[in-house]
């Protein structure tokens, strides 16, 4: 792109301009609008616009000297525009590089967060599973205690029934024989 600008400037500048024409060419070169061949830089870098102060009227007495001065100014502007283009290019490269690194850091962070969240969900699932297992074990133990309590109640009821039956049999025997029981309830 810089070479195209240099060729364009060389093509536009006349070979031996008159002193008055040199001033108008320099002013004309400054006011040129970018051609469709030149694509504007779409980077986010800010462009610094340099204003070159217009110098006062120059003397037109030395034609060769004025032409050399005008050519030197053109060379200086050309060099400054190349430096400016290089600076913008370097800034945009740095910006793009930083943006790429930031996006890779963000991607790394997101992947690590996702992995940790998955691990947390897995641990939570394991805890829920253990909780369900322990709850099932406790329910089984409660059911076992209830079953044992029912068995003990049944045994107590069976013993009571046997003792009542035995007492009725003994009472019937004592009535039949007319004897009194040897063990009294402690009243006598």
């Amino acid at each position: 792109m810089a070479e195209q600008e240099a060729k364009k400037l060389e093509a536009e500048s006349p070979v031996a301009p008159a002193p008055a024409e040199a001033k108008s060419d320099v002013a004309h070169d400054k006011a040129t609008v970018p051609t469709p061949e030149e694509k504007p830089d779409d980077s986010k870098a800010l462009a610094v616009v340099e204003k070159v102060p217009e110098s006062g009227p120059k003397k037109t007495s030395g034609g060769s000297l004025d032409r050399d001065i005008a050519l030197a100014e053109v060379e200086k502007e050309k060099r400054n525009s190349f430096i400016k283009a290089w600076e913008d290019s370097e800034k945009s490269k740095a910006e793009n590089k930083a943006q790429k690194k930031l996006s890779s850091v963000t991607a790394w962070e997101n992947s690590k967060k996702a992995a940790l969240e998955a691990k947390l969900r897995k641990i939570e699932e394991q805890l829920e599973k253990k909780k369900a297992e322990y709850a099932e074990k406790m329910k089984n133990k409660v059911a076992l205690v209830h079953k044992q309590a029912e068995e003990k109640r049944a045994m107590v009821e069976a013993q009571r029934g046997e003792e009542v039956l035995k007492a009725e049999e003994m009472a019937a025997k004592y009535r039949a024989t007319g004897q009194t029981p040897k063990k009294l309830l402690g009243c006598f």
Side-chain angles (χ1 to χ4, degrees):
M1 186 165 151
E3 291 176 4
Q4 291 175 352
E5 285 184 32
K7 288 179 183 177
K8 180 179 147 189
L9 288 175
E10 288 175 11
E12 288 181 359
S13 62
V15 177
E21 292 176 22
K23 286 185 187 176
S24 66
D25 283 345
V26 171
H28 175 65
D29 287 342
K30 288 182 185 176
T32 57
V33 179
T35 60
E37 297 174 356
E38 297 177 352
K39 293 183 181 175
D41 189 15
D42 290 337
S43 69
K44 294 181 182 177
L46 297 175
V48 178
V49 177
E50 296 177 11
K51 282 196 168 186
V52 179
E54 293 290 329
S55 59
K58 294 185 179 181
K59 297 179 182 177
T60 58
S61 60
S64 177
L65 182 62
D66 287 341
R67 188 184 67 179
D68 289 342
I69 292 172
L71 287 175
E73 285 181 17
V74 168
E75 282 294 320
K76 183 179 175 183
E77 288 177 16
K78 184 169 115 176
R79 186 172 44 248
N80 286 341
S81 68
F82 286 152
I83 292 170
K84 177 88 173 102
W86 176 85
E87 180 185 14
D88 291 343
S89 173
E90 290 299 313
K91 285 180 180 178
S92 66
K93 282 181 191 177
E95 183 70 28
N96 291 342
K97 187 176 181 181
Q99 195 66 30
K100 185 176 179 182
K101 286 183 179 181
L102 287 174
S103 66
S104 68
V105 167
T106 303
W108 174 83
E109 178 188 19
N110 290 340
S111 68
K112 291 296 181 181
K113 282 166 78 175
L116 290 174
E117 287 173 359
K119 190 174 183 179
L120 178 64
R121 280 194 300 274
K122 185 176 180 181
I123 290 170
E124 286 175 348
E125 288 174 5
Q126 289 174 348
L127 290 174
E128 287 295 323
K129 188 176 179 181
K130 282 185 179 181
K131 182 180 175 182
E133 288 174 3
Y134 284 133
E136 186 68 27
K137 284 181 182 179
M138 292 302 121
K139 285 180 184 178
N140 289 344
K141 285 183 180 180
V142 167
L144 181 64
V145 167
H146 182 69
K147 180 182 172 187
Q148 290 173 347
E150 287 295 321
E151 289 173 357
K152 288 182 180 184
R153 283 189 194 102
M155 287 176 55
V156 168
E157 287 294 322
Q159 262 185 342
R160 184 181 64 86
E162 287 177 7
E163 288 176 0
V164 168
L165 188 61
K166 188 176 178 183
E168 286 177 358
E169 288 177 1
M170 291 295 282
K173 179 179 169 187
Y174 286 132
R175 282 189 194 106
T177 58
Q179 293 179 349
T180 59
K182 295 181 181 174
K183 293 183 180 177
L184 292 174
L185 294 175
C187 299
F188 301 101

